[in-house]
Structure formats: structure tokens, C-alpha cells
Amino acid sequence: MKKPLRYNFRLKPTAEQEAKLIEFGSYARGLWNLLLSENLRRYRYDKTFLFYPEMSKLIKELKVFEEFSWLKSFDSAAAQQVARDLDTALKNSFSKSRLQKFPTFKVSFKQKKLHNDSFRCVNNSNCIRIENGAVSIPKIGKVPIVLHRKLVSEIKTVTVQLSHGKWNVSLTQEVECKTAKRVLHSIVGYDINSQHTVVGSNGWYAKNPKALKRSSTKLKQIQVQLSRREKGSSRWHKTKSRLNTLHGKISRQRLAFAHEVSCSIAKTSDIIVFEDLNVKGMQQFNGHMVNDNVMGMITSLTKYKVELNGGIYHEIGRFVKSTSICYQCKHPHKFGLIVREFACESCGLVQCRDLAAAKSIENTGENDLMATGIVARVTPKFQQKTSIKTKVFELSKFGVGTEKKEAA
């Protein structure tokens, strides 16, 4: 089975190429706003929307008019991708399962004071390829690229974006996943919290590096300097660029930490269990802590890495109680977030709050997987005569598994 993945690389465009990339980003933003305004006008007229077939036809018809001659300068495949993205955004806003807001207009980076325009091209007839340290982009040419790793397969799409003053390119490739493991030798549950980013039921944990907090002093200094500059002056723009660069550094530190943690988790065991956190709701309570802890990023990265290794990724229900439960006698407790260690009221065992939550998540995930018939508990032959036994499972879809069945 193949899985599409994105690999990010840094671009080093020339001055002419950079001007062309900015121009293409503004074309993509303008086309999005144009199609969205037409959808709103159509809805006010007859309560209907334009979807991808109608929007694709509209783009071709608009190229004839002189006012929309800029559509001819834009890559036609990239224009079609804008229509596809808007079509997906409209359908997701109607779907009850996605719960996304209705798409909004995109303002220019000068108004938002952010340089985050982007556009996506499709590799039709091998028009996008990497040769001699440069990637060829339709109607732009060969742009130098920092190729820090080899390509896995053929390029499907390429997304170019200006983020924090740096040009990045995202190449979509299809990666071959490993075959699903028939015998699963271990299961580990993970609890995500503010003190330690991740705590595993096997005793492994990763401390929160707090990239934003470490750079907070320098960040405040630059913000104070920016407030004293005359808005729009050359020194104001230089200070603004320094602030943007520092935010980019913090963002890259968080991403690097999330990749390191997710790789360690994916290689640890065959079955990974997390809890389904309401990250958006937690951001309203303490947004800086949640963002600095990369809670949602770790789970999303771990999910696809476990699937690549042939393991199983599972999330327990959002409203299932997992914290403040004794992992020995399963007795529930009630106490505040300030309590990090507690003694069980029933058995008297002193235990760490985070470790107990991780073990509770593991037990809940194991029961869910066995109840739904995804895995079955087995007893390997090499563990029958030993006192120390580890949990071993077998995928039910390869055969009817029972607890009495012996693993080969």
C-alpha cells in the first residue's frame, strides 16, 4: 500500500524568480477571492453554489476578457488547484463530521503583515523535476533547491510558500508502507500534558523544551524596539524582519522536536494508543502552553509514522476518563491539576499522576481494539514457561483469533 507524504525543502530563488513567485502567490489569492465572491453572489441569487466543474469552466471563460488577462500569465494547473481547494472547503463547511467554518476571503500579506502566500502546481507530463540542484516550476523556470535528502518516488504535486521570509517548497510523493504486522508484540499508551510533553505507560517520557519561553526575553526586546520605531520607516521594516525571523526559528524548533518525539514513539512498540484531545478548546484556556507543547502536531505525526512501520495507531474517546485513576486497583480519584503525585485511597499505592494516566490509556485502548475485533490476545509458546510475560496480539483480519490460540 502506498501513502502520499509531503517533504519540505528550502528554495534559493534569484531576485527575478522571487518576484515571479510573489506574483504567482498573489494570482492564487486573487483567484480564490474571485471564485468565492462568485459563489456568494450565486447563493444570494438562487441559493446554489459553484463547485469544481462549474468553477473550472468559469476560469476558462474569464481568460477572454481583458480585465482578467492576468489569468493567462498564471499556470493553468495551479489555477485548477485553487478551484479544487475552494470546492473542498465548501464541502467541508457543509459536512457535519468536519465542523469547519465557511471559507473566507484571503487578504494580501501587506494588510496582514504576513508573507504567507502560496500556490500549488501539478506534475503533468514530468513538468516538475529536479535536475542539477534546481527544481523546475511551470512558467517560473529552474529554482535552486537545498536537497537535503533523496527523493523517495516521483513528484506528484509541488506547493511553494513564503514562510517567515524564507521560500519553502513541499513535494508530494508516494511512499510504500510496510505490510501490516500479523503478530504485535507490544502496546504502549501515551499521556500528553503540560509538564512533560509525552509520558508513556512503559516509563518513557519527553520533557517540554518550551521553545517560546526560552526565546521570550529576546522576543520582548525586539517587540519593544518595534514599538519605538516609526511605522513604515526603514528601521521599522528591519525590526519587523528580525521579529519575523525569530518567530520562524521558534516554529522550526517546535517542528523538529515533534518529529524527534514522534519517531521515538513510532519505533517503540507495535500498537500506539493516544487520547483524543480537544486541542482547540485547550487553546482557549492556555493558548501559549498548548502551542509550545505541540500537542496536536505530535499525534498527527505519530499516526502516519506508525502506519508506515506497519503498526496500529488508536485514539480513545475524548470523554473517557483517563487521569487520576489508580493503575493497580482502578480506583478513581478527584484532585486538581497541581497534584502530580497521589496515594491511592483504596490500595495506598503512591504513583505519578502522568504515569497512571498513561497506563489507564493503554488499558482503555487495549479493550477498545479487542472489543471491535481489530486484534486478539494470544499466548506465544516462548512465554508459557516464563514468569515474566509481555502482551502479544494478533490481527483478527488474518484469521479468527482467540485468547486460547497459540502464536507460531
Side-chain angles (χ1 to χ4, degrees):
M1 185 182 68
K2 293 186 178 181
K3 185 179 183 65
L5 293 180
R6 291 184 177 273
Y7 295 90
N8 298 326
F9 301 92
R10 179 68 57 82
L11 291 179
K12 298 290 185 179
T14 61
E16 296 179 356
Q17 291 174 341
E18 186 173 7
K20 199 70 176 178
L21 292 173
I22 294 175
E23 185 179 353
F24 270 40
S26 62
Y27 288 163
R29 183 182 68 248
L31 183 58
W32 171 282
N33 294 338
L34 177 64
L35 296 175
L36 181 57
S37 63
E38 182 62 23
N39 271 282
L40 295 176
R41 187 194 65 82
R42 180 68 65 88
Y43 183 77
R44 287 193 296 265
Y45 179 70
D46 56 0
K47 303 297 180 181
T48 60
F49 287 104
L50 295 175
F51 292 101
Y52 175 71
E54 294 83 5
M55 287 189 286
S56 178
K57 184 179 179 181
L58 179 62
I59 293 174
K60 294 180 181 179
E61 295 175 351
L62 290 177
K63 290 182 180 180
V64 181
F65 299 96
E66 185 178 356
E67 295 83 356
F68 301 100
S69 59
W70 53 272
L71 288 174
K72 297 180 181 179
S73 303
F74 194 33
D75 181 33
S76 59
Q80 299 297 326
Q81 291 301 309
V82 175
R84 289 183 185 274
D85 291 342
L86 183 57
D87 177 84
T88 304
L90 288 172
K91 292 178 179 178
N92 289 341
S93 63
F94 305 144
S95 175
K96 293 182 180 179
S97 59
R98 299 302 297 267
L99 296 177
Q100 292 187 2
K101 294 183 179 179
F102 191 82
T104 57
F105 292 100
K106 296 182 180 180
V107 298
S108 70
F109 64 88
K110 291 184 178 180
Q111 294 178 2
K112 293 174 64 178
K113 299 181 178 60
L114 294 173
H115 302 260
N116 58 354
D117 281 341
S118 64
F119 63 94
R120 185 167 71 254
C121 302
V122 184
N123 190 8
N124 296 324
S125 302
N126 199 24
C127 63
I128 301 174
R129 57 189 180 276
I130 296 180
E131 295 177 348
N132 300 325
V135 55
S136 60
I137 302 176
K139 292 193 175 183
I140 292 180
K142 295 183 178 180
V143 184
I145 183 174
V146 181
L147 201 65
H148 61 272
R149 62 186 301 173
K150 295 181 179 180
L151 299 182
V152 181
S153 62
E154 294 182 357
I155 301 173
K156 298 297 181 181
T157 62
V158 56
T159 303
V160 183
Q161 183 179 16
L162 178 63
S163 177
H164 301 290
K166 305 291 184 180
W167 285 101
N168 301 316
V169 62
S170 179
L171 305 178
T172 305
Q173 304 172 70
E174 288 187 349
V175 181
E176 188 72 28
C177 298
K178 295 182 180 179
T179 56
K181 297 178 181 179
R182 182 171 181 177
V183 180
L184 307 164
H185 293 279
S186 58
I187 178 172
V188 181
Y190 291 93
D191 175 61
I192 299 179
N193 54 75
S194 58
Q195 185 175 7
H196 298 92
T197 303
V198 177
V199 177
S201 58
N202 56 356
W204 181 86
Y205 67 93
K207 281 191 174 182
N208 184 3
K210 298 181 180 179
L212 180 63
K213 189 174 182 179
R214 286 187 299 170
S215 303
S216 60
T217 303
K218 189 174 182 180
L219 197 64
K220 290 178 182 178
Q221 292 176 353
I222 299 177
Q223 287 173 340
V224 170
Q225 292 177 3
L226 184 66
S227 64
R228 294 175 178 174
R229 303 284 188 256
E230 183 180 353
K231 190 173 182 179
S233 62
S234 60
R235 299 182 70 186
W236 183 89
H237 283 292
K238 289 181 181 179
T239 310
K240 186 71 175 178
S241 178
R242 288 176 57 202
L243 183 64
N244 194 19
T245 302
L246 182 57
H247 277 295
K249 179 182 177 181
I250 296 171
S251 177
R252 290 188 294 272
Q253 287 175 345
R254 289 173 175 171
L255 181 61
F257 172 71
H259 274 291
E260 292 174 2
V261 172
S262 59
C263 281
S264 300
I265 293 174
K267 295 177 181 178
T268 300
S269 62
D270 298 331
I271 304 178
I272 306 295
V273 183
F274 273 91
E275 53 183 339
D276 183 17
L277 294 175
N278 184 11
V279 179
K280 189 174 182 180
M282 296 173 66
Q283 284 178 339
Q284 298 177 358
F285 174 70
N286 193 345
H288 288 291
M289 181 271 295
V290 175
N291 291 335
D292 217 18
N293 211 16
V294 290
M295 292 182 175
M297 191 182 300
I298 287 177
T299 54
S300 61
L301 292 177
T302 304
K303 183 177 181 180
Y304 86 82
K305 291 179 181 180
V306 171
E307 293 175 354
L308 287 177
N309 293 332
I312 296 178
Y313 176 87
H314 179 70
E315 288 185 356
I316 66 174
R318 180 173 296 182
F319 301 103
V320 177
K321 184 176 177 61
S322 60
T323 185
S324 64
I325 298 178
C326 177
Y327 61 82
Q328 185 171 348
C329 64
K330 315 301 179 186
H331 181 73
H333 302 78
K334 287 186 179 180
F335 40 74
L337 293 173
I338 195 173
V339 179
R340 309 313 302 179
E341 290 187 359
F342 67 96
C344 179
E345 299 174 354
S346 178
C347 63
L349 178 65
V350 179
Q351 51 198 299
C352 175
R353 174 198 181 109
D354 304 329
L355 181 61
K359 290 181 179 291
S360 177
I361 292 171
E362 177 190 338
N363 294 331
T364 305
E366 179 183 345
N367 295 332
D368 291 346
L369 292 172
M370 294 182 65
T372 53
I374 299 176
V375 299
R377 189 78 174 269
V378 297
T379 305
K381 292 181 179 180
F382 62 86
Q383 288 190 5
Q384 290 180 352
K385 298 181 180 180
T386 59
S387 58
I388 302 175
K389 296 183 179 181
T390 59
K391 295 180 180 179
V392 180
F393 303 88
E394 190 174 47
L395 281 182
S396 298
K397 63 181 181 180
F398 287 97
V400 180
T402 61
E403 295 186 1
K404 297 180 181 179
K405 184 178 179 181
E406 292 185 352

